[in-house]
C-alpha cells in the first residue's frame, strides 16, 4: 500500500489510477439511438496484426499498451483461447472493440471495450455495451467485471456505472510510457504529458 501523500513517478513512466467494477446480475437494457447503422462482428480467429490494428484504432488516444507489449505468440494464444471472444464494431464513422473473457468459471471479464474517436458520444458505445451485457449474461456466470483507468476517456468510469457496474477496487499502475517505446505515436494522449 502506498502511504498518503505525493509519490514521484520516474521520467519515462506513466502512472494511472485503475478502478475495477463488477455486477452480479444483469441490469436493465439502456435506451439506444434510433436508426444506427452499426454491426458487431465476432472475429473467430483474429490474427495478431488484425487485432493490434483494431486495438490501436480504439486505444491509441488513451494509451492502451498492454497488448502492444505482448509477444506475438502470447497474444495469439490469448485472443485465440477457448473462452475468449473478440468482436469488432463496424460503422461508417469508425470501429469499436469488445473483448470478453469467460476463462474463469462463473465469471466474464470485459477485457477491452471502446470505440474509435469518430464514434465517441454518438451512441455506439451504449449500443455495444447492451450487446456485451446480453452476451455475458447469456453464459452461466455470477459476475461480470471490467476495469478502467484515469488514462481512459474522462467519461469511461461514469459510463460503466450507468451501465450497471459498481466499483469494488482501486489500484495505481506505473508503466513505461508506450510513446517513448515507439508503441504509440508521440502526439497521442495529449492529456498525458511526456516527461
Amino acid at each position: 500500500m502506498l502511504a498518503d501523500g505525493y509519490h514521484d513517478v520516474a521520467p519515462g513512466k506513466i502512472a494511472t489510477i485503475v478502478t475495477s467494477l463488477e455486477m452480479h446480475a444483469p441490469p436493465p437494457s439502456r435506451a439506444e439511438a434510433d436508426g444506427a447503422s452499426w454491426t458487431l462482428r465476432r472475429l473467430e480467429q483474429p490474427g495478431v496484426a488484425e487485432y493490434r490494428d483494431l486495438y490501436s484504432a480504439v486505444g491509441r488516444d488513451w494509451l492502451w499498451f498492454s497488448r502492444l507489449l505482448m509477444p506475438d505468440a502470447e497474444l495469439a494464444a490469448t485472443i485465440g483461447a477457448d473462452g475468449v471472444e473478440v468482436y469488432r464494431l463496424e460503422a461508417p464513422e469508425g470501429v469499436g472493440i469488445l473483448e470478453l473473457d469467460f476463462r474463469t468459471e462463473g465469471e466474464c471479464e470485459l477485457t477491452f471495450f471502446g470505440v474509435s474517436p469518430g464514434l465517441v458520444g454518438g451512441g455506439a458505445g451504449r449500443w455495444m455495451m447492451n450487446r456485451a451485457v446480453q452476451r455475458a449474461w447469456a453464459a452461466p456466470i455470477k459476475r461480470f467485471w471490467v476495469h478502467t483507468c484515469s488514462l481512459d476517456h474522462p467519461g469511461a468510469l461514469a459510463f460503466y456505472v450507468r451501465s450497471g457496474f459498481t466499483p469494488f477496487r482501486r489500484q495505481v499502475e506505473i508503466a513505461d510510457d508506450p510513446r517513448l517505446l515507439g508503441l504509440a505515436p508521440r502526439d497521442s494522449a495529449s492529456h498525458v504529458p511526456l516527461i
Side-chain angles (χ1 to χ4, degrees), residues 31-65:
E32 298 177 356
D34 291 330
S37 58
W38 306 308
T39 58
L40 193 61
R41 178 174 58 92
R42 183 166 179 193
L43 304 178
E44 294 291 341
Q45 290 296 321
V48 168
E50 174 188 23
Y51 178 88
R52 283 199 177 118
D53 285 347
L54 177 60
Y55 177 90
S56 294
V58 172
R60 182 176 297 116
D61 288 342
W62 314 114
L63 287 185
W64 289 10
F65 61 90

Side-chain angles (χ1 to χ4, degrees), residues 20-145:
S20 295
L21 305 97
E22 65 187 354
M23 63 173 71
H24 294 279
S29 187
R30 302 221 28 229
E32 298 177 356
D34 291 330
S37 58
W38 306 308
T39 58
L40 193 61
R41 178 174 58 92
R42 183 166 179 193
L43 304 178
E44 294 291 341
Q45 290 296 321
V48 168
E50 174 188 23
Y51 178 88
R52 283 199 177 118
D53 285 347
L54 177 60
Y55 177 90
S56 294
V58 172
R60 182 176 297 116
D61 288 342
W62 314 114
L63 287 185
W64 289 10
F65 61 90
S66 62
R67 295 295 172 84
L68 302 176
L69 289 172
M70 273 184 162
D72 289 355
E74 183 182 349
L75 178 57
T78 299
I79 61 178
D82 289 341
V84 173
E85 299 178 4
V86 179
Y87 296 87
R88 177 187 178 100
L89 174 76
E90 297 174 341
E93 309 85 4
V95 296
I97 188 170
L98 164 60
E99 185 175 333
L100 301 170
D101 187 339
F102 293 95
R103 290 179 293 175
T104 300
E105 187 176 346
E107 293 188 0
C108 177
E109 178 184 1
L110 180 56
T111 315
F112 290 100
F113 180 92
V115 295
S116 61
L119 290 170
V120 172
R126 167 62 38 228
W127 184 88
M128 191 166 62
M129 179 58 77
N130 281 345
R131 276 127 195 97
V133 167
Q134 290 166 358
R135 173 63 195 108
W137 289 104
I141 62 169
K142 295 180 178 158
R143 178 177 181 247
F144 185 30
W145 74 281

Side-chain angles (χ1 to χ4, degrees), residues 131-166:
R131 276 127 195 97
V133 167
Q134 290 166 358
R135 173 63 195 108
W137 289 104
I141 62 169
K142 295 180 178 158
R143 178 177 181 247
F144 185 30
W145 74 281
V146 64
H147 70 271
T148 188
C149 74
S150 55
L151 297 176
D152 280 338
H153 186 283
L157 182 59
F159 173 83
Y160 288 126
V161 170
R162 287 192 310 273
S163 297
F165 292 95
T166 301

Side-chain angles (χ1 to χ4, degrees), residues 176-189:
D176 290 326
D177 190 322
R179 296 168 295 186
L180 297 176
L181 297 174
L183 297 173
R186 290 181 71 90
D187 63 349
S188 62

